[in-house]
Amino acid sequence: MYFRLSVKSIITRLLTILSVSALFGFLIGQTLLVLCISTLVILCWHYHHLFKLIKWLWRSKSLSPPQSEGIWGKIYDGLYRQIRQHRHKQKQLNERIRKFRDGAEALPDAALVLSDELTILWGNKKAQRILGIRWPSDVGQRIDNLIRFPEFSKYLELGNFEQPCHIISPINSELQLELRLMAYGSDQVLFLARDVSKIKRLEEMRRDFVANVSHELKTPLTVVRGYVEMILTTEHALEPHWQKAFSTIETQVSRMDRLVEQLLVLSRVENHADEENKQLVDMPKLIKTLVDDATWLNQDKQHKITADLSEDLWIEGIDTELKSACVNLISNAIAYTPAHGSVHILWQRSGNKAKFSVKDNGPGIRPEHVNRITERFFRVDKSRSRDTGGSGLGLSIVKHVLHHHNAELAIESQWGEGSEFIIYFEVLDKS
């Protein structure tokens, strides 16, 4: 219930008390004395309740305020109402905090709440199990004082948190962790650490399986292809229908051999991310060699192949991988562009990047397929891929090569008008 106290009511009540006291004093002939006594009683009454209020606020453990009538009763009731409201809000806040903590504890990841200065404010139990960070004993510590890895320190120094950071667990060398940082509220940072050991092991098993199977297939395919070619080159050794059958076998074995070769290349690229193998690469010379080879091999379709190369633009990378990426883009353009079409190859500076592009006037790519064409074994048109010998691995190889070189792939394509595949590399000028 709302209570309103006005100056008018206070003055009215005070005048009433003093008037009654003055009248009583006048009747007994002691007007001034009675007024003084009345004033003293009023003052003592207020001081009495004031002391009770102070005692209750500072000494009493009771939640209920003292009982009284009149204006002090209203004050006590108002204070009690405020306490109840505060306790209700505090209960709601505690419930929200409990739900947040329950949710954070239910996460499969280790979670830490950091300040904008990267000091620890809160952490769940999973953070203790995989990172060794204890809450609340580690509150106030900087995260890089507890996770001491050079790659993590560099990750924090760069300040680019779009990609995760991978480290070994500080308390368990068998655990591989994926770390992510993201903004949390206006002045806090959410730190998540996920155990990706099983995913890494499965990925390694898959790569080893592909590499081993590819190696095992390589030898028998080479033997079969050799015998088939030997039979086909023997004059009058086979009747026409057998000659056709062996020609078909030779075509399919060659296609299978190309697929195995690309699987081996993909396996090497996936496992070959060693920065120590990088060196200065003469890209203009490398691309010119690939263009000359493509022109010499392009006798049937008679494409118009042109090149615009900047001679002084070099980059740092792995020569074999860069060659594999470029040859895949050029081969795709030649394979999927109709006869007498045009293929233009560009190697130029673009701002602070080096730009390699292969542009053709082929059939192009539908918009819904553009985001998927770098997936392994994905082919836009399976029947057309069989005709051209495509395996669906070329652009997957390109994607892994670019990942090793911190490069970006851009695809511009209009259905029915052609495509342009662009790679942006970090620039390293020839000195």
Side-chain angles (χ1 to χ4, degrees):
M1 183 179 67
Y2 178 71
F3 171 70
R4 182 179 178 182
L5 181 65
S6 65
V7 176
K8 182 179 178 182
S9 63
I10 294 175
I11 294 175
T12 301
R13 181 175 299 180
L14 186 60
L15 289 176
T16 301
I17 294 173
L18 293 177
S19 298
V20 172
S21 300
L23 178 60
F24 178 74
F26 177 75
L27 292 176
I28 63 174
Q30 298 290 335
T31 304
L32 184 59
L33 178 61
V34 172
L35 282 174
C36 290
I37 294 173
S38 299
T39 304
L40 184 61
V41 169
I42 293 173
L43 188 62
C44 290
W45 185 77
H46 281 294
Y47 267 101
H48 169 69
H49 285 289
L50 183 61
F51 286 130
K52 286 176 64 177
L53 176 61
I54 293 173
K55 182 179 178 181
W56 174 68
L57 289 175
W58 291 94
R59 297 180 183 178
S60 177
K61 296 181 180 180
S62 173
L63 295 177
S64 300
Q67 298 296 319
S68 180
E69 299 293 337
I71 187 172
W72 279 100
K74 300 296 184 182
I75 292 174
Y76 292 147
D77 291 343
L79 288 172
Y80 184 62
R81 180 170 175 270
Q82 291 293 325
I83 290 172
R84 290 182 60 186
Q85 288 180 348
H86 174 73
R87 286 176 59 82
H88 180 68
K89 290 181 180 179
Q90 188 177 33
K91 185 177 180 181
Q92 289 181 329
L93 180 60
N94 290 338
E95 183 66 19
R96 291 179 183 177
I97 293 174
R98 186 189 63 79
K99 288 181 179 180
F100 165 76
R101 289 182 176 176
D102 290 344
E105 293 293 349
L107 287 174
D109 306 334
L112 297 172
V113 177
L114 310 178
S115 69
D116 54 358
E117 296 179 352
L118 302 182
T119 58
I120 297 172
L121 302 177
W122 182 85
N124 63 1
K125 293 179 181 178
K126 193 69 177 290
Q128 179 177 342
R129 290 197 293 268
I130 69 175
L131 292 171
I133 296 177
R134 295 174 173 82
W135 182 84
S137 58
D138 288 332
V139 169
Q141 294 272 5
R142 274 186 62 92
I143 188 66
D144 50 353
N145 289 338
L146 300 176
I147 302 178
R148 295 176 175 271
F149 288 89
E151 54 267 42
F152 181 61
S153 298
K154 185 177 179 181
Y155 181 69
L156 293 178
E157 183 180 349
L158 292 175
N160 183 10
F161 303 139
E162 293 182 1
Q163 298 297 325
C165 174
H166 294 88
I167 64 168
I168 304 297
S169 170
I171 60 174
N172 188 347
S173 60
E174 295 182 358
L175 297 183
Q176 299 185 55
L177 305 180
E178 179 185 271
L179 310 182
R180 288 184 178 273
L181 278 80
M182 59 201 74
Y184 182 68
S186 59
D187 57 352
Q188 293 178 339
V189 176
L190 182 62
F191 175 98
L192 296 177
R194 174 176 297 179
D195 180 7
V196 293
S197 305
K198 292 182 179 179
I199 297 175
K200 291 290 185 181
R201 283 195 291 268
L202 288 173
E203 187 68 16
E204 290 175 3
M205 290 172 60
R206 181 192 62 77
R207 287 200 298 263
D208 292 341
F209 173 78
V210 171
N212 292 334
V213 170
S214 301
H215 277 292
E216 292 298 325
L217 288 174
K218 187 69 176 174
T219 300
L221 284 174
T222 303
V223 173
V224 172
R225 184 177 181 181
Y227 277 113
V228 170
E229 289 178 349
M230 182 183 69
I231 293 172
L232 290 174
T233 55
T234 304
E235 294 184 3
H236 310 296
L238 298 172
E239 295 180 5
H241 68 280
W242 286 111
Q243 190 81 14
K244 181 179 179 182
F246 274 94
S247 296
T248 303
I249 293 173
E250 194 274 336
T251 301
Q252 295 303 319
V253 169
S254 298
R255 183 169 178 268
M256 189 68 177
D257 189 54
R258 286 194 297 271
L259 174 60
V260 171
E261 185 63 36
Q262 285 202 310
L263 282 171
L264 288 171
V265 171
L266 180 59
S267 178
R268 287 196 299 269
V269 169
E270 284 184 323
N271 290 283
H272 194 203
D274 193 355
E275 296 288 337
E276 295 179 358
N277 291 327
K278 290 187 177 182
Q279 57 186 356
L280 196 61
V281 179
D282 186 352
M283 286 295 290
K285 182 180 178 181
L286 183 148
I287 297 170
K288 189 174 185 302
T289 302
L290 297 180
V291 172
D292 292 341
D293 292 343
T295 303
W296 186 81
L297 295 172
N298 187 38
Q299 302 297 322
D300 296 333
K301 289 189 173 182
Q302 294 293 313
H303 290 119
K304 180 183 178 183
I305 302 176
T306 57
D308 183 7
L309 309 178
S310 179
E311 296 294 335
D312 62 345
L313 193 55
W314 294 35
I315 63 172
E316 188 179 52
I318 304 172
D319 180 85
T320 54
E321 291 190 3
L322 292 172
K323 182 178 179 180
S324 178
C326 294
V327 77
N328 269 294
L329 293 185
I330 296 172
S331 300
N332 283 350
I334 292 173
Y336 295 112
T337 301
H340 305 290
S342 64
V343 177
H344 182 65
I345 300 164
L346 178 72
W347 174 252
Q348 296 288 341
R349 184 187 293 271
S350 176
N352 61 346
K353 302 280 187 179
K355 176 182 177 181
F356 172 76
S357 77
V358 179
K359 186 175 183 180
D360 62 65
N361 62 346
I365 306 169
R366 294 184 185 275
E368 62 268 23
H369 294 149
V370 170
N371 293 331
R372 293 196 59 196
I373 58 176
T374 57
E375 297 176 9
R376 63 183 68 199
F377 298 112
F378 178 79
R379 292 177 291 190
V380 175
D381 188 338
K382 293 180 174 58
S383 62
R384 187 179 69 179
S385 296
R386 284 194 292 269
D387 294 338
T388 57
S391 63
L393 292 174
L395 290 177
S396 184
I397 293 172
V398 172
K399 181 180 72 172
H400 284 285
V401 170
L402 301 191
H403 177 70
H404 295 171
H405 292 79
N406 295 320
E408 301 173 2
L409 176 66
I411 303 172
E412 298 178 1
S413 183
Q414 293 291 329
W415 177 245
E417 298 182 9
S419 305
E420 182 177 11
F421 288 79
I422 307 169
I423 302 175
Y424 293 100
F425 293 97
E426 296 293 334
V427 174
L428 181 63
D429 292 324
K430 180 182 176 182
S431 56

